[in-house]
Amino acid sequence: MKRNTRFIVFSLIAAIIVAGNSLQPAEGNGSGAPAGNTGSPADNKTCARLGCHPGTATLISDVITSDVPATGYVPGYTYTITASITDPSLTKFGFQISPQNNAGTLLGTMALLDANKTKFTSNTNKYITHKSAGTTWPGHTATWSFSWTAPIAGTGDVTFYGAFNFSNNNNNTSGDVIHTSTLTIPEAFGVGIDDICDSHEFSLYPNPASSEILLSYYLSNSTAVVISLYDLSGKRLAMLQQDIQQEGKQYASFSLSDFANGTYIIELRTGDKTITRKFVKI
C-alpha cells in the first residue's frame, strides 16, 4: 500500500513538471516573443503552433505602417515604423516584427522609441517585440512604434514581417489568436539622401582620413543639429554631436580612433533636413 502511494505521488509530481514545462514558452511570451516567429519565409513559423499558442496564424492587412513617402525609402535615412491592432473585446496584445529578405537577412537597422513597452529579442537587434508593459491596452487598440534606418543603395524592396497575438488574457495557451501581416517598402532608386536638401555647404576633410575627420557647414538660422556616424548597412555607430547651434558657418572635428579602417557615412541633421557624406578611414 505504501509503495502504491509513493508511485501515485511521484506520478503527480512528474505530471506537474511536464505540464509546467509545456506551458513555459507561452508564459515567457508575456515579456516578449521568442526570436524567429514573424512568419517570414526564412523564419517559416509564428507562435501559432503546438507548445506555444495552438492554432493557425491568419493574414490580416494594414497593420504595419510607416512615414516613408510613396516614392520609397532613401538609403541611410531614418523613418518611423508603427504597428497597430484593434479588437473591441480584448485588452491584451503582443507582437514581433523584423525587416528581412527571403534569406532572412536583416535589412536596415531598427532602434527602440519606447524602451518601456518594446525591446529586442537578441543582441543582433533583428527582431523587435513587446515587453510586459507593452501588452495591456484598456482601449482595445495596441500601438507600438520604432525607428528604422534604411539600408544601403541597391538593396531594393524591404518587407517588414510581423506576427501579432490577440490574447484572451486567461494566463494559459488556449484561446489566443495569432495573426500575421506585412509591409513592403520600395527603394527610391535614383534618389540619394543628399537630394533631400541643398547640401553644397556641407563638406568634410580630409577624405580619406586617418585619426580625425573635420566638418564644415552653414546654417541659415538657429536650429537643432545632430551629427551621427553610420556604417554602410545603415547602422548608427555613434551620435557625434547633438545641440542647438546659431546661424552661420560651423566647424566640428571628431576622433576616429575607436573605429576600424573602412568606409563610413557622416549624417548631418538640421531640423527637417538631412545630409550625408561618405568617407574612408585608412
Side-chain angles (χ1 to χ4, degrees), residues 58-65 82-97 130 134-145 162-167 177-182:
T58 55
L59 181 66
I60 54 178
S61 60
D62 302 323
V63 170
I64 309 173
T65 59
T82 299
S84 184
I85 53 179
T86 298
D87 190 300
S89 65
L90 301 176
T91 60
K92 202 170 187 69
F93 305 91
F95 85 105
Q96 183 178 107
I97 290 177
H130 58 270
T135 61
T136 301
W137 302 86
H140 307 289
T141 296
T143 301
W144 306 277
S145 294
F164 304 88
N165 184 5
F166 288 62
S167 174
V177 177
I178 304 296
H179 292 290
T180 59
S181 194
T182 62

Side-chain angles (χ1 to χ4, degrees), residues 43-67:
D43 292 338
N44 197 31
K45 67 179 184 295
T46 67
C47 285
R49 64 182 190 274
L50 187 64
C52 195
H53 296 283
T56 302
T58 55
L59 181 66
I60 54 178
S61 60
D62 302 323
V63 170
I64 309 173
T65 59
S66 78
D67 61 356

Side-chain angles (χ1 to χ4, degrees), residues 76-78 149 193 197 202 204 215-219 221-230 236-246 250 252 254 265-277:
Y77 195 67
T78 300
T149 301
I193 197 166
C197 57
F202 178 39
L204 53 87
L215 281 67
S216 66
Y217 49 95
Y218 179 81
L219 300 178
N221 56 358
S222 177
T223 185
V225 174
V226 178
I227 301 175
S228 302
L229 180 69
Y230 292 83
R236 186 164 71 177
L237 304 176
M239 180 183 291
L240 303 176
Q241 184 168 315
Q242 183 177 26
D243 58 7
I244 303 296
Q245 297 182 5
Q246 302 303 309
Q250 305 291 333
F254 305 102
I265 297 171
I266 287 277
E267 177 190 80
L268 171 67
R269 181 172 296 185
T270 59
D272 61 350
K273 295 183 179 181
T274 303
I275 312 169
T276 64
R277 288 286 185 267

Side-chain angles (χ1 to χ4, degrees), residues 55 74 88:
V74 176

Side-chain angles (χ1 to χ4, degrees), residues 192-203:
I193 197 166
D194 293 342
D195 298 320
I196 295 174
C197 57
D198 183 7
S199 59
H200 69 279
E201 291 286 355
F202 178 39
S203 62

